[in-house]
Amino acid sequence: MSGALTCSAADLSALLGPNATAAADYICGQLGTVNNKFTDAAYAIDNTYLLFSAYLVFAMQLGFAMLCAGSVRAKNTMNIMLTNVLDAAAGGLFYYLFGYAFAFGESSDGFIGRHNFGLKDFPTLTSDYSFFLYQWAFAIAAAGITSGSIAERTKFVAYLIYSSFLTGFVYPVVSHWFWSPDGWASPFRSADRLFGTGAIDFAGSGVVHMVGGIAGLWGALIEGPRIGRFPDGGHAIALRGHSASLVVLGTFLLWFGWYGFNPGSFTKILIPYHSGSNYGQWSGIGRTAVTTTLSGCTAALTTLFGKRLISGHWNVTDVCNGLLGGFAAITAGCSVVDPWAAIVCGFVASLVLIGCNKLAELLKFDDPLEAAQLHGGCGAWGLIFVGLFAREKYVNEVYGANQGRHYGLFMGGGGKLLAAQLVQIIVIVGWVSATMGTLFFILKKLDLLRISETDEMQGMDIARHGGFAYIYHDNDDDSIQLPRVPGSPAV
């Protein structure tokens, strides 16, 4: 704890007269006790803050589940809900056994961690159980992103395999590179930082969103589009989700959880920037919540009017995706930019999402939740945004002053930070493509990836999970015959 109380019996004894040594020892002992209490309180406050943030990020899984359920057709609701549950469950075990060690264990080469498998020798001087829980919540968020891209046509065993591999190996390696003090591109390195600065990805536009988005991109590409999405290779047909209500509910839950995702990434709250003042890390946390909010709101409104001009409709699903795209973009720089810059971030993020969706349609790429475009495209823009708009004062507060930190190009900081951000984009695309692309290709060759045409037309709920989530009939699909109750009229 900074600013700890100190006491020297030798200094005090000269001021206390007779029995000075005993009195000085007593006073110093009492001050030491008080100082320990303050230190204990600081640790408790910081750990409570981090645990609360972890709970918020974990609550985002409920948001993902609702968003995914509303975005697919009713006949696949149980399937997509189950995959969201298993992302958390399988991810918990594999991140405990391997992922955390790969991500935050010590390394000599900056590539991958090698200690604390199964949380052996834990907690440490720098990490407690609250930190593990927080990082696990991030890992399963990445897996949840990917599940949306390959929804409605993927075998259940493929979900188990890819989710375990992503949370246990692929994602942890990337987080080690950019978040561990040992990572080769981490801004937390004490020396030999990439371009003298390291890549700034505060809460994971690249580490979480691009990893999940690029993994989903390869999964959807290798599987191919859903039946009926591009009939006979022609014009795209919208296979709309069955519940806009669930989409909106999921969006608001994700919005709520993002206040743990971004502000929570400080991991500590009780750090003064200037001792004795009202300005400290708590101020940075508040500013981060504001920048997060402004980016999402701007992206939502830009998408609303942009899609209105393109399609002629006020589409709530598009607005929800635009909002989430703004959040995904600001996640990298939320702590190091001014609120006005967050508005720029959200505006451009909306345009990026609209452009990526148009490109996906032209290329006949089918992603039911637009997850690859949203998280991959907007996440990449978020990394570039940091290299342009990061402010020197905030960079020094968050990552440490007196370290020769570089900051945004448009803020007068030169181009080295932007170069580091571009390197991050390139290596994430390369790493995730090499690992997850290969995995999905192998699953396809082993016939473990895509369900049969019959099962896909019938719906995965009835074909693979024993029934429907609820009695519902998709208007665009006449292949499903709902079970009749004896004595009821024919449908």
Side-chain angles (χ1 to χ4, degrees):
M1 176 180 174
S2 61
L5 298 172
T6 60
C7 181
S8 168
D11 293 339
L12 283 177
S13 61
L15 305 174
L16 297 176
N19 300 318
T21 301
D25 286 338
Y26 174 78
I27 293 172
C28 285
Q30 293 301 306
L31 288 175
T33 300
V34 172
N35 180 65
N36 289 338
K37 293 292 185 181
F38 277 121
T39 302
D40 294 343
Y43 282 127
I45 291 170
D46 286 336
N47 272 276
T48 300
Y49 173 72
L50 186 56
L51 278 172
F52 180 72
S53 298
Y55 304 151
L56 285 176
V57 177
F58 178 69
M60 295 176 78
Q61 291 301 119
L62 178 57
F64 279 125
M66 295 299 99
L67 180 70
C68 289
S71 298
V72 301
R73 289 165 290 179
K75 62 184 180 181
N76 296 309
T77 304
M78 284 176 55
N79 173 262
I80 197 68
M81 296 283 275
L82 183 57
T83 62
N84 276 271
V85 173
L86 288 175
D87 282 338
L93 286 177
F94 279 85
Y95 196 73
Y96 163 76
L97 292 172
F98 310 107
Y100 183 84
F102 290 148
F104 294 100
E106 294 181 4
S107 68
S108 58
D109 55 9
F111 180 79
I112 190 170
R114 300 171 182 168
H115 299 86
N116 283 329
F117 290 97
L119 297 187
K120 184 180 179 182
D121 301 323
F122 207 78
T124 67
L125 292 175
T126 56
S127 300
D128 208 333
Y129 290 104
S130 56
F131 185 73
F132 165 80
L133 192 73
Y134 188 68
Q135 295 301 331
W136 159 71
F138 270 60
I140 60 176
I145 292 167
T146 305
S147 67
S149 295
I150 57 177
E152 299 202 286
R153 59 204 191 275
T154 305
K155 288 185 176 180
F156 190 65
V157 66
Y159 279 111
L160 286 173
I161 294 171
Y162 100 77
S163 181
S164 301
F165 186 58
L166 184 67
T167 55
F169 180 65
V170 178
Y171 166 83
V173 170
V174 177
S175 58
H176 185 81
W177 293 349
F178 302 105
W179 286 348
S180 170
D182 299 323
W184 64 269
S186 173
F188 299 105
R189 288 180 69 94
S190 57
D192 300 324
R193 293 188 296 270
L194 179 65
F195 295 116
T197 186
I200 293 179
D201 187 7
F202 183 72
S205 288
V207 174
V208 178
H209 294 283
M210 277 196 68
V211 168
I214 299 301
L217 171 69
W218 281 106
L221 277 174
I222 291 172
E223 273 195 308
R226 292 167 292 172
I227 296 173
R229 180 73 171 100
F230 301 100
D232 300 322
H235 186 70
I237 301 297
L239 303 179
R240 298 191 182 280
H242 77 280
S243 176
S245 299
L246 288 179
V247 170
V248 172
L249 175 61
T251 300
F252 272 113
L253 287 169
L254 288 169
W255 189 340
F256 179 65
W258 234 291
Y259 292 125
F261 205 94
N262 286 3
S265 290
F266 279 90
T267 70
K268 295 180 180 180
I269 190 171
L270 201 60
I271 296 178
Y273 293 150
H274 305 289
S275 183
S277 74
N278 64 347
Y279 185 69
Q281 191 133 294
W282 50 88
S283 305
I285 288 170
R287 183 184 65 250
T288 297
V290 170
T291 58
T292 299
T293 302
L294 291 176
S295 180
C297 292
T298 304
L301 291 174
T302 305
T303 305
L304 174 69
F305 290 105
K307 294 295 287 187
R308 176 68 171 81
L309 292 173
I310 295 172
S311 67
H313 301 290
W314 306 101
N315 191 306
V316 66
T317 303
D318 289 336
V319 171
C320 288
N321 282 341
L323 179 83
L324 297 176
F327 287 151
I330 195 61
T331 294
C334 54
S335 65
V336 295
V337 300
D338 284 306
W340 65 263
I343 294 175
V344 177
C345 179
F347 177 78
V348 177
S350 173
L351 302 182
V352 169
L353 179 58
I354 292 172
C356 286
N357 283 334
K358 187 62 177 177
L359 181 62
E361 185 175 320
L362 291 174
L363 297 177
K364 297 179 173 52
F365 172 78
D366 182 23
D367 184 330
L369 273 86
E370 302 177 5
Q373 302 94 296
L374 192 160
H375 297 278
C378 294
W381 155 242
L383 293 176
I384 295 171
F385 166 76
V386 177
L388 300 175
F389 290 95
R391 184 176 171 185
E392 181 181 18
K393 175 186 177 183
Y394 301 150
V395 171
N396 288 334
E397 288 172 352
V398 175
Y399 293 99
N402 304 320
Q403 304 250 354
R405 299 282 181 183
H406 298 282
Y407 48 101
L409 175 65
F410 292 167
M411 309 303 287
K416 289 189 176 181
L417 177 58
L418 178 59
Q421 303 301 102
L422 294 174
V423 168
Q424 180 175 358
I425 294 172
I426 293 169
V427 297
I428 287 177
V429 172
W431 171 252
V432 178
S433 298
T435 52
M436 295 302 296
T438 301
L439 176 66
F440 282 122
F441 180 78
I442 292 173
L443 290 174
K444 182 177 181 179
K445 288 298 182 181
L446 296 176
D447 196 27
L448 295 175
L449 186 59
R450 185 158 183 159
I451 59 175
S452 68
E453 181 176 339
T454 301
D455 286 352
E456 186 175 345
M457 293 297 293
Q458 188 177 31
M460 297 183 69
D461 287 1
I462 192 67
R464 300 297 177 105
H465 302 290
F468 294 113
Y470 29 67
I471 299 300
Y472 197 101
H473 182 57
D474 286 306
N475 293 328
D476 65 340
D477 193 345
D478 296 325
S479 66
I480 301 175
Q481 297 297 321
L482 296 178
R484 288 182 56 193
V485 177
S488 63
V491 178

